[in-house]
Amino acid sequence: MPLTKQKRLEEFELIRWIQQQAGNGAHLALGIGDDCSIQPQQPDRDLLTSIDLLIEDIHFKREWSNMFDLGRKSAAVNISDIAAMGGTPQSVFLGIGRPKTIDDTEIKEFLSGFLAEIKTYGAVLTGGDSCGSPGPLMISVTVQGEVPTGDAICRQGASYGDAIYVSGSLGDSALALHQLQHGRQPDAYLKQRFHTPTPRVALGQELSKRHLATAMLDVSDGLIADLGHILAASNVGAELNLDAIPLSAAFKRLLDDDSALIDFALAGGEDYELVFTSPLKDLDQHINLPLAVTRIGSISQQPGLHIRQTNGEPYHCRRGGFDHFS
Amino acid sequence: MPLTKQKRLEEFELIRWIQQQAGNGAHLALGIGDDCSIQPQQPDRDLLTSIDLLIEDIHFKREWSNMFDLGRKSAAVNISDIAAMGGTPQSVFLGIGRPKTIDDTEIKEFLSGFLAEIKTYGAVLTGGDSCGSPGPLMISVTVQGEVPTGDAICRQGASYGDAIYVSGSLGDSALALHQLQHGRQPDAYLKQRFHTPTPRVALGQELSKRHLATAMLDVSDGLIADLGHILAASNVGAELNLDAIPLSAAFKRLLDDDSALIDFALAGGEDYELVFTSPLKDLDQHINLPLAVTRIGSISQQPGLHIRQTNGEPYHCRRGGFDHFS
């Protein structure tokens, strides 16, 4: 309960509005509106759960995005965690800490985007909490999904000799952010990749269903950082082929003028593509996947992540996993 | 991913520390540390889930509490939602948006209190997210629990003639808050009730296991507001006996000097006691419950909530569900 009750009325009204929009899920015995939601458990399913925070001026700036897209992105980055295990999203729980500067119309735009995004992936808003914030807009999202028992793809499991694949293209989102941070307007494609990333749910499901991947993560912190998590958890190393990193046409156009931009594809982050390992060397050629994947390297016995150029020379990324954007 | 990566290192370090503390749950196939946690589903169990936000200066003030107790309370208020369905808490997911003014020692104190509290109820920290906050301390907690299939006690279900019960005593927490807001130091007992409320897990479990309650909620917004939720969802009314409202000795001492304080017991909130309805009229006398419960009234056919004094006169609470504390 808040320290003052004045805000409480607004909270109740907002929660009521959310409840009306939420709908019901066939997997639920009770949806939004009680102390807890109730979901009958299924004997042949594993429950997957993930939580994410998004805080204004830390994760997003309101002047860069509209509230609808911010709602979509808030849902997408969390659903991406279910995709990264090869699961199917089912229930989403949303907490909103709302500053006074955000009016009802804006918060409903946010919620409309949020609800549209989760609906795309068959998930249902199943619980929520709303209150005032004396500071920034704060969004907390918890997503639950399911996967057939034992089929979830974890970060450990990569073995020597496995091929390393990544879906889609890398670096678009980080490059858009870089441009926004320097007062430039990114290309429409790059902007869309930053504001409304696409969780790769269908690809993740296909990989888990057909047991094609030994380890998988979504690329949220940048390829080097996230592949690094797989390597550390699996106790192996990797060799990457720099020229194999998949890039969009929009990214390549800018790369032509400044070759250093390649580091956004290696260490930028917020791609929400899937990076995974597989014993199959030609996954992209012989198996019909719902999304293009590119083989970018292979797992080595020797620890560490080594990137090589086509001429065999090692490449050193100048953007570490933890550097400031400059 | 945050807009700048500098904070990211701290985040990774904090998450690592949390992971080390988290421990494993027998109900989990995979705990904290991957994109999602993995929990095998059980055929004879319902999954219960609830989310809560706690934001500095909205829900708590750091100068009133130490970080250990704040951690305990953040867990307790969320676990109380599982108790209110009659369930057993299992997994807790914690998001922390942390201002720069909170140092590592303080955040670890918070986490120690949080972990101690969830351990008390057999739950395990199963996932988390941490980032900087440019404003207040923000805490998001999602709890999952279980209950035998169909045994959860919802807010709808109260019937004409049911007795209304409440556990423990009411008003202690709101009275402590009132005193703190007026610069007075509450009695140690009242203070404890405000800072470290006790979720009534064992009572809730007993009521669901023995199918003793027809409807139940935890008292977080105040008895009138929360009982009002039960009445609205069940489409019934209620008559309450003012003199039956259970009060602590500390509360009664202050009530002797100011009879208007009774309204804190009726509409204060943050009691985290259980209010429930039951067809049994003498639950408190004939059944051995893990916690004292008091019969405070009964469900009527006529809608609305009517409070009567011993002399039969109606009593009108001057603190509405939505009034400012004064």
Side-chain angles (χ1 to χ4, degrees):
Chain A
M1 194 201 60
L3 299 177
T4 62
K5 287 197 168 182
Q6 195 61 64
K7 293 298 288 179
R8 198 70 194 167
L9 181 59
E10 287 169 31
E11 181 184 340
F12 277 129
E13 279 172 0
L14 182 60
I15 288 171
R16 225 173 348 245
W17 187 85
I18 296 172
Q19 286 176 0
Q20 286 161 3
Q21 312 294 316
N24 288 312
H27 66 292
L28 295 170
L30 183 67
I32 201 167
D34 211 311
D35 286 308
C36 295
S37 63
I38 307 177
Q39 178 184 334
Q41 298 190 34
Q42 305 301 329
D44 53 351
R45 291 286 182 276
D46 281 339
L47 170 73
L48 306 173
T49 313
S50 178
I51 183 171
D52 274 311
L53 288 186
L54 292 96
I55 298 184
E56 185 177 353
D57 293 334
I58 299 290
H59 297 93
F60 61 89
K61 285 186 184 290
R62 273 193 276 155
E63 62 261 36
W64 289 346
S65 179
N66 62 58
M67 292 296 278
F68 186 89
D69 282 352
L70 182 61
R72 285 189 60 188
K73 183 168 181 172
S74 301
V77 303
N78 202 232
I79 285 174
S80 179
D81 285 321
I82 299 289
M85 307 295 281
T88 302
Q90 292 186 302
S91 296
V92 184
F93 302 81
L94 173 64
I96 303 177
R98 170 192 182 183
K100 283 187 182 153
T101 51
I102 296 187
D103 65 23
D104 278 359
T105 307
E106 288 173 297
I107 209 80
K108 287 180 181 176
E109 270 174 34
F110 172 88
L111 285 160
S112 298
F114 188 88
L115 290 164
E117 186 74 10
I118 67 173
K119 200 176 172 184
T120 303
Y121 300 97
V124 173
L125 184 63
T126 310
D129 194 10
S130 157
C131 62
S133 165
L137 173 60
M138 181 213 186
I139 299 154
S140 168
V141 188
T142 301
V143 64
Q144 291 171 343
E146 63 157 31
V147 68
T149 304
D151 278 0
I153 307 168
C154 302
R155 57 178 66 185
Q156 78 273 26
S159 296
Y160 170 54
D162 280 356
I164 302 168
Y165 294 90
V166 70
S167 65
S169 63
L170 296 180
D172 300 324
S173 175
L175 190 50
L177 170 62
H178 176 77
Q179 293 187 317
L180 286 167
Q181 284 178 323
H182 289 78
R184 297 201 295 275
Q185 269 306 312
D187 165 284
Y189 177 77
L190 296 179
K191 218 166 152 176
Q192 172 264 310
R193 294 274 288 162
F194 174 63
H195 287 311
T196 55
T198 308
R200 302 307 193 182
V201 174
L203 175 62
Q205 287 169 334
E206 193 68 15
L207 293 170
S208 72
K209 196 170 72 184
R210 300 174 67 169
H211 302 103
L212 295 171
T214 47
M216 184 156 70
L217 277 184
D218 64 332
V219 183
S220 55
D221 294 320
L223 176 66
I224 290 176
D226 289 310
L227 180 56
H229 294 317
I230 289 179
L231 302 182
S234 305
N235 200 25
V236 291
E239 292 244 345
L240 292 188
N241 175 3
L242 183 68
D243 297 319
I245 304 294
L247 305 172
S248 69
F251 190 98
K252 280 182 189 159
R253 273 195 297 277
L254 291 157
L255 187 67
D256 282 346
D257 293 334
D258 180 1
S259 63
L261 296 182
I262 189 67
D263 290 353
F264 285 107
L266 292 171
E270 289 217 290
D271 300 294
Y272 300 106
E273 297 296 346
L274 297 180
V275 56
F276 62 96
T277 55
S278 175
L280 299 178
K281 304 289 179 296
D282 46 10
L283 200 57
D284 42 336
Q285 289 167 36
H286 296 293
I287 295 173
N288 194 14
L289 292 171
L291 176 70
V293 301
T294 307
R295 186 176 164 193
I296 58 169
S298 57
I299 296 294
S300 55
Q301 273 176 307
Q302 183 193 356
L305 176 57
H306 302 279
I307 307 172
R308 296 209 176 271
Q309 304 174 70
T310 309
N311 62 13
E313 290 292 305
Y315 180 79
H316 298 288
C317 178
R318 278 145 295 181
R319 297 183 183 276
F322 311 116
D323 291 334
H324 247 297
F325 274 104
S326 59
Chain B
M1 194 201 61
L3 300 176
T4 61
K5 287 196 169 182
Q6 195 60 64
K7 293 297 289 179
R8 199 67 195 168
L9 181 58
E10 287 169 30
E11 182 184 337
F12 277 128
E13 279 173 359
L14 183 59
I15 288 170
R16 225 174 346 245
W17 187 85
I18 296 173
Q19 286 175 0
Q20 287 161 2
Q21 312 294 315
N24 287 312
H27 66 293
L28 295 171
L30 183 68
I32 202 167
D34 211 310
D35 287 308
C36 295
S37 64
I38 307 176
Q39 178 184 333
Q41 299 190 34
Q42 305 299 329
D44 52 352
R45 290 286 182 277
D46 281 340
L47 171 73
L48 305 173
T49 313
S50 179
I51 183 171
D52 274 310
L53 288 186
L54 292 97
I55 298 186
E56 185 176 353
D57 293 334
I58 299 290
H59 296 93
F60 61 89
K61 285 187 183 289
R62 272 193 276 156
E63 61 261 38
W64 288 347
S65 179
N66 62 58
M67 292 296 279
F68 186 89
D69 282 351
L70 181 61
R72 284 189 60 188
K73 183 168 181 173
S74 301
V77 304
N78 202 233
I79 285 174
S80 180
D81 285 321
I82 299 290
M85 307 295 281
T88 302
Q90 292 186 301
S91 295
V92 184
F93 302 81
L94 173 64
I96 303 177
R98 169 193 185 183
K100 284 188 181 154
T101 51
I102 296 187
D103 65 22
D104 279 0
T105 306
E106 289 173 296
I107 209 79
K108 287 180 182 177
E109 269 174 34
F110 173 87
L111 286 161
S112 298
F114 188 88
L115 291 165
E117 186 73 10
I118 67 173
K119 200 175 171 185
T120 303
Y121 301 96
V124 174
L125 184 64
T126 311
D129 194 10
S130 157
C131 62
S133 165
L137 173 61
M138 296 169 164
I139 299 155
S140 168
V141 188
T142 301
V143 64
Q144 291 172 344
E146 63 157 31
V147 68
T149 304
D151 278 0
I153 307 168
C154 302
R155 57 177 67 186
Q156 78 273 27
S159 297
Y160 170 53
D162 281 357
I164 301 168
Y165 295 90
V166 70
S167 65
S169 63
L170 296 179
D172 299 325
S173 174
L175 191 49
L177 171 62
H178 176 77
Q179 293 187 317
L180 285 166
Q181 285 180 321
H182 289 77
R184 297 202 294 276
Q185 268 306 310
D187 164 285
Y189 177 77
L190 297 179
K191 217 166 152 176
Q192 173 262 310
R193 294 274 287 162
F194 174 64
H195 287 312
T196 54
T198 308
R200 302 308 194 182
V201 175
L203 175 63
Q205 288 169 332
E206 193 69 14
L207 293 171
S208 73
K209 197 170 71 186
R210 300 174 66 169
H211 302 102
L212 295 171
T214 47
M216 183 156 70
L217 278 184
D218 63 333
V219 184
S220 55
D221 295 319
L223 177 66
I224 290 176
D226 289 311
L227 181 56
H229 294 317
I230 289 179
L231 302 182
S234 305
N235 201 24
V236 291
E239 292 243 346
L240 291 189
N241 175 5
L242 184 68
D243 296 320
I245 304 294
L247 305 172
S248 69
F251 190 98
K252 281 181 189 160
R253 273 196 296 277
L254 291 157
L255 186 67
D256 283 345
D257 293 335
D258 180 0
S259 64
L261 296 183
I262 189 65
D263 290 353
F264 285 108
L266 293 171
E270 289 218 291
D271 299 295
Y272 300 106
E273 297 296 345
L274 297 180
V275 56
F276 62 95
T277 56
S278 176
L280 300 178
K281 305 290 179 295
D282 47 8
L283 201 57
D284 41 337
Q285 288 166 35
H286 296 293
I287 295 173
N288 193 15
L289 292 171
L291 176 70
V293 300
T294 306
R295 184 175 164 192
I296 58 170
S298 58
I299 296 294
S300 54
Q301 273 177 309
Q302 184 193 356
L305 176 58
H306 302 278
I307 306 171
R308 298 210 175 270
Q309 303 174 70
T310 308
N311 62 11
E313 289 292 307
Y315 179 81
H316 298 288
C317 179
R318 279 146 295 182
R319 297 183 183 275
F322 311 116
D323 292 334
H324 248 296
F325 274 103
S326 58

